[in-house]
DNA sequence: CTTTAGCACTCTCGAAAAGAGAGTGCCAGA
DNA sequence: TCTGGCACTCTCTTTTCGAGAGTGCTAAAG
């Protein structure tokens, strides 16, 4: 009966997916014929649908319900059937403008990207902060007086990664004091990794007379602690947004989902959990960091069981070999893939471009 | 029939509230007698319940359902009936320890406070960042080189408020260049408010020959823009956590709430909205900033209609007359008030104490 | 060999009905 | 003032039933 994926079957598959993505209702043969003016009868379409089902691209919830795409169906759609669109120019312009307005505030880029992704894809979004491609390497520290007894330590690492940390002073220090101390430590620690810094600290401790003053010691400890904390949390930080957008999808609205309301609530709760804890995304993000282009993970294809009903679209952003992060969209497998993918692609490349401008100098003269 | 709030009625009211908070089910007369070993018959309790209802402290969903507290009932409970407890010492110790572990990272305090509040109260939490009590007043700026073409501007304001902003350099600048520029601007802008800075900028622009170099101009603009943005968003930033904890309350679980599932879903969605947008909280927070001690707002007592089903417990934290913020718990009116209040009280005073240590010097010698 | 019309069959969804259970309100008596 | 008893009310659950949607199959037509 099934003689492979003929052209017509592909067309029908495409229509089924488009229809299902739009309406969130199982698709019936007659609907297809009527809505898309196919020049065949519903019965013919039914035969084709049955074949597509046998091939694994569609499925049936019950005997007398319309068809719903399987993960395999979506995969084929994304790979071969989808129209490759881009965001409209006005949309692009608007997004660029928003990024322009927060230029200079890198932290805000992350929030902005998350919010734009969520709005354009009408689903949840995830964004990880920029991270050095390789180990954190110290560059310099500046100490800024905030009070008589409080200073802000600004730690700068290679690749432009910055971390600030408040520091309670044991005694009143003049700005000159602070500057001298910062300069000393900057030169001592320049280009070192965390392990080097720790070595240096233990070595100094073993000598009878320390090479450093009390205050310098304090700052050194702070640096080591900060680097440690930074590396530890490097993998884990995921910013997410668009919960509301995702939860407005029919999957989470019992009346429309035509199913037990409790299941919808349970699903909602699990979705929250995924976004908050990042569970289920954990393995996907390193993978996306290591890949080029836009990654699409459909349903349970690649990850934990709890992600079986969700798709994830990820792309890397940043400056290659310097600092990179990952951003993307997450939502029910019934998702507007073309639009979500365009959105992820556009925003990742926009951010990469903007970052490249900032990092230009570094790329021209890569250090060691 | 109703001869006021007799002692016994108060006892019964207290029991009804405790029972309802625990079980989330309307409380029946017989349950009270059985569970709390009252030495009267259910019929007697029923009479008292009817009286309490007439007095407005309890209500009836339907004729043959148990009683549920009204907002007024909760209010009386909080004001007069509640046992005034504190968190257990092990809990206190644990919380202190967690704050100790992130000492020096003020930003993390906010997250930590949110997460601790959420866990102890089993509800959502809100925390606003520290803000100067009065207008933002400039103190100094430091410029830290991150790259050849990129610097980080660290703006320090009176009261220890810090903001960082990246700055793309038009040309390569030596560290000395940066330092000189920062020093110049720090001295020019010292102690100025936003409006003064803007005045200074327009005045300078009207002169034929500017007093400042190109680069200095650029940094000045940056400062003005940053101060503007900072003040604009000052009121709005609310960090929140504990969504999952709150949504695990029976109110959001249709099966247990014994009601239409769709309503539970709708409620969930609105709860999300409140937490994300801060709508409904907006008026409460300035109010809490201006009050001492722990504020309890029950149901629609004070705020918008959308908060009718929620209670909010808020307290100010920080250093009086210097920097303050607000933190608290939000959840269904059926809430463990004693525990939530203790938790808010403990965490706000803990954070205040820790901050006071840091700001000690400032308090000793308040500036102008 | 492919397409189509017709029709029986299956399954869900919604409404209506009926029964069980919980809890109250009230009355009369202690 | 308290208590036991009892009728009454209301909800919640389950069941039943009919309507409707959509398929799968078969047999005939192109």
């Amino acid at each position: 009966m099934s003689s492979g994926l003929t052209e017509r079957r592909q067309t029908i598959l495409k229509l089924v997916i488009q229809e299902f993505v739009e309406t969130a209702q199982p698709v019936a043969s007659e609907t297809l014929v009527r809505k898309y003016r196919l020049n065949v009868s519903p019965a013919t379409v039914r035969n084709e649908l049955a074949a597509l089902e046998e091939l694994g691209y569609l499925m049936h919830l019950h005997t007398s319900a319309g068809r719903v795409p399987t993960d395999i169906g979506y995969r084929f759609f994304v790979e071969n059937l989808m129209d490759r669109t881009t965001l409209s120019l006005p949309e692009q312009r608007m997004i660029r403008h928003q990024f322009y307005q927060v230029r200079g505030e890198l932290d805000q880029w992350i929030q902005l990207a998350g919010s734009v992704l969520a709005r354009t894809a009408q689903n949840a979004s995830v964004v990880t902060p920029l991270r050095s491609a390789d180990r954190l390497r110290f560059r310099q520290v500046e100490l800024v007086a905030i009070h008589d007894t409080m200073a802000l330590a600004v730690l700068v690492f290679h690749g432009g990664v910055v971390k600030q940390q408040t520091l309670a002073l044991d005694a009143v220090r003049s700005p000159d004091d602070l500057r001298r101390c910062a300069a000393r430590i900057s030169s001592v620690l320049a280009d070192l990794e965390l392990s080097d810094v720790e070595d240096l600290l233990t070595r100094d401790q073993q000598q009878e007379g320390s090479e450093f003053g009390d205050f310098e010691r304090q700052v050194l400890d702070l640096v080591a602690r900060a680097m440690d904390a930074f590396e530890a949390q490097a993998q884990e930080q995921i910013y997410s947004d668009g919960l509301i957008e995702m939860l407005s999808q029919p999957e989470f609205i019992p009346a429309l989902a035509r199913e037990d309301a409790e299941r919808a609530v349970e699903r909602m709760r699990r979705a929250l959990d995924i976004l908050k804890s990042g569970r289920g995304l954990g393995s996907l993000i390193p993978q996306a960091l290591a890949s080029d282009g836009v990654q699409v993970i459909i349903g349970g294809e690649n990850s934990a069981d709890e992600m079986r009903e969700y798709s994830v679209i990820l792309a890397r952003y940043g400056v290659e070999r310097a600092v990179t992060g990952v951003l993307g969209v997450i939502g029910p497998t019934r998702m507007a893939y073309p639009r979500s993918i365009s959105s992820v692609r556009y925003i990742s490349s926009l951010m990469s471009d903007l970052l490249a401008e900032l990092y230009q100098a570094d790329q021209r003269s890569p250090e060691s």
Side-chain angles (χ1 to χ4, degrees), chain A residues 110-244:
Chain A
I110 292 174
Q111 280 185 44
L112 180 56
S115 129
V116 171
L117 279 172
R119 259 179 297 131
T120 55
Q122 282 299 300
N123 265 313
S125 60
V126 288
V127 188
T128 74
L130 285 171
R131 292 285 168 223
S132 302
D134 33 43
R135 267 282 163 54
L136 210 55
R137 232 161 66 247
F138 183 87
R139 184 159 161 164
Q140 62 165 318
V141 60
E142 287 286 334
L143 295 172
V144 183
I146 294 181
H147 282 316
D148 294 355
T149 57
M150 203 158 116
L152 187 76
V154 180
L155 308 177
V156 184
F157 301 100
H158 282 252
V161 178
V162 173
K163 180 168 169 97
Q164 60 178 349
Q165 182 123 12
T166 345
L167 173 66
L169 303 180
D170 49 350
V172 176
R173 305 272 172 190
S174 72
D176 263 353
D177 262 11
L178 294 179
R179 193 165 301 138
R180 251 197 309 279
C181 174
R184 170 92 200 275
I185 289 175
S186 292
S187 76
V188 170
L189 296 186
D191 300 333
L192 296 189
E193 293 183 3
L194 172 58
S195 53
D196 302 325
V197 175
E198 282 169 341
D199 283 355
L200 188 142
L201 273 172
T202 48
R203 228 181 309 119
D204 181 67
Q205 208 145 34
Q206 281 160 357
Q207 292 179 12
E208 58 263 48
S210 170
E211 204 180 327
F212 304 104
D214 278 355
F215 183 47
E216 288 171 342
R217 254 329 271 215
Q218 195 189 346
V219 177
L220 280 171
D221 283 338
L222 181 85
V223 171
R225 230 181 30 235
M227 287 178 79
D228 189 39
F230 207 56
E231 294 215 329
Q233 73 184 7
Q235 304 298 341
E236 291 169 23
Q237 270 193 42
I238 302 176
Y239 170 84
S240 86
D241 196 351
L243 198 54
I244 295 180

Side-chain angles (χ1 to χ4, degrees), chain A residues 3-22:
Chain A
S3 56
L5 252 194
T6 62
E7 189 115 358
R8 188 170 69 181
R9 286 177 186 167
Q10 295 193 17
T11 310
I12 290 179
L13 176 57
K14 182 177 172 183
L15 292 179
V16 170
I17 291 180
Q18 286 180 355
E19 181 68 13
F20 183 64
V21 167
E22 188 184 324

